């Protein structure tokens, strides 16, 4: 603490009266006691501040835990909502794909039926063409037979004519 006696003596040596020195030191002492913190005050303040900091630290820890729990719950809600929405979209996608697949299958079946009918028509036309070719081949065979018979007749007649010509030539030559 402040040594008031020593300060009073120094003020008196400087020219203050004893009463002035005492009043001055007392005034300064009262002023310092009223406005300045003592070591004891600082220790008390340090203790209070330390306790308040511990309380604040516990409060902050507790609040952080609450916020973390709230954040986790909110994230879980959002994740659930996201999963539900994804499931809905996936169901909608599957349904749409099934519709498109059914439409595709129906169209393919129609095209396959159309192709089969067209192939049947072409097959029938080929059968008709084959039948016509068979008729033409039959006609050609009959013509071949007729030509052979005509060739035989022509050969026979030519042979007969040659014999007659040889006979005539021989007769003409003898005459």
């Amino acid at each position: 603490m402040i040594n008031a006696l020593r300060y009073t003596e120094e003020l008196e040596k400087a020219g203050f009266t004893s009463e002035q020195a005492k009043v001055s030191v007392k005034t300064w002492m009262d002023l310092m006691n009223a406005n300045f913190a003592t070591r004891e005050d600082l220790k008390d303040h340090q203790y209070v501040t330390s306790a308040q900091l511990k309380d604040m630290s516990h409060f902050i820890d507790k609040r952080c835990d609450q916020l973390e729990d709230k954040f986790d719950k909110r994230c879980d809600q959002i994740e659930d909502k996201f999963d539900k929405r994804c499931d809905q979209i996936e169901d909608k996608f599957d349904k749409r794909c099934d519709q498109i697949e059914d439409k595709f299958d129906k169209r393919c079946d129609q095209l396959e039926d159309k192709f089969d009918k067209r192939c049947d028509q072409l097959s029938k036309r080929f059968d008709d063409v084959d039948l016509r070719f068979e008729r033409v081949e039959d006609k050609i065979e009959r013509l071949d037979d007729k030509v052979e018979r005509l060739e035989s007749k022509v050969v026979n007649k030519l042979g007969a004519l040659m014999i007659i010509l040889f006979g005539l030539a021989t007769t003409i030559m003898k005459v």
Side-chain angles (χ1 to χ4, degrees), residues 9-171:
E9 288 174 0
E10 286 190 26
L11 285 173
E12 286 175 0
K13 285 181 192 175
F16 279 73
T17 65
S18 173
E19 189 60 31
Q20 287 177 334
K22 285 180 188 177
V23 170
S24 292
V25 169
K26 183 180 180 317
T27 303
W28 276 106
M29 294 286 284
D30 289 343
L31 177 70
M32 288 192 303
N33 284 337
N35 293 310
F36 295 158
T38 64
R39 287 186 184 139
E40 197 63 32
D41 290 339
L42 291 175
K43 284 183 184 178
D44 288 344
H45 180 69
Q46 182 181 10
Y47 176 74
V48 169
T49 305
S50 175
Q52 286 176 340
L53 285 175
K54 284 181 184 177
D55 289 345
M56 184 59 75
S57 174
H58 290 301
F59 174 78
I60 290 173
D61 287 344
K62 185 177 177 182
R63 186 66 180 135
C64 285
D65 290 343
Q66 289 172 344
L67 287 174
E68 186 176 1
D69 289 344
K70 188 174 181 178
F71 178 78
D72 288 344
K73 285 179 184 177
R74 185 67 178 138
C75 284
D76 289 343
Q77 289 172 344
I78 291 171
E79 186 177 1
D80 290 343
K81 189 175 182 178
F82 176 76
D83 288 343
K84 186 177 179 181
R85 184 68 176 137
C86 284
D87 290 344
Q88 289 172 343
I89 291 171
E90 186 176 3
D91 289 343
K92 189 175 182 178
F93 176 78
D94 288 344
K95 187 176 180 180
R96 184 70 177 136
C97 284
D98 289 344
Q99 289 173 343
I100 291 171
E101 188 176 356
D102 289 344
K103 188 175 181 179
F104 177 77
D105 288 344
K106 186 177 179 180
R107 183 68 177 142
C108 284
D109 289 344
Q110 290 172 345
L111 288 173
E112 188 176 351
D113 289 344
K114 189 174 182 178
F115 179 76
D116 288 344
K117 286 178 184 177
R118 189 73 172 150
C119 285
D120 289 345
Q121 289 172 349
L122 286 174
S123 179
K124 186 177 178 185
R125 287 180 72 184
F126 276 117
D127 290 344
D128 291 345
V129 169
D130 285 344
L131 184 61
R132 288 174 68 188
F133 273 125
E134 286 177 11
R135 289 182 192 154
V136 168
E137 285 176 349
D138 287 344
K139 285 182 181 179
I140 290 174
E141 284 180 19
R142 285 192 301 244
L143 284 174
D144 281 345
D145 287 344
K146 282 184 181 179
V147 168
E148 268 183 40
R149 280 184 272 147
L150 286 175
E151 278 181 359
S152 285
K153 285 182 180 177
V154 168
V155 168
N156 286 339
K157 288 187 179 184
L158 282 176
L161 280 176
M162 279 178 68
I163 292 173
I164 293 173
L165 278 174
F166 281 125
L168 273 176
T170 309
T171 312

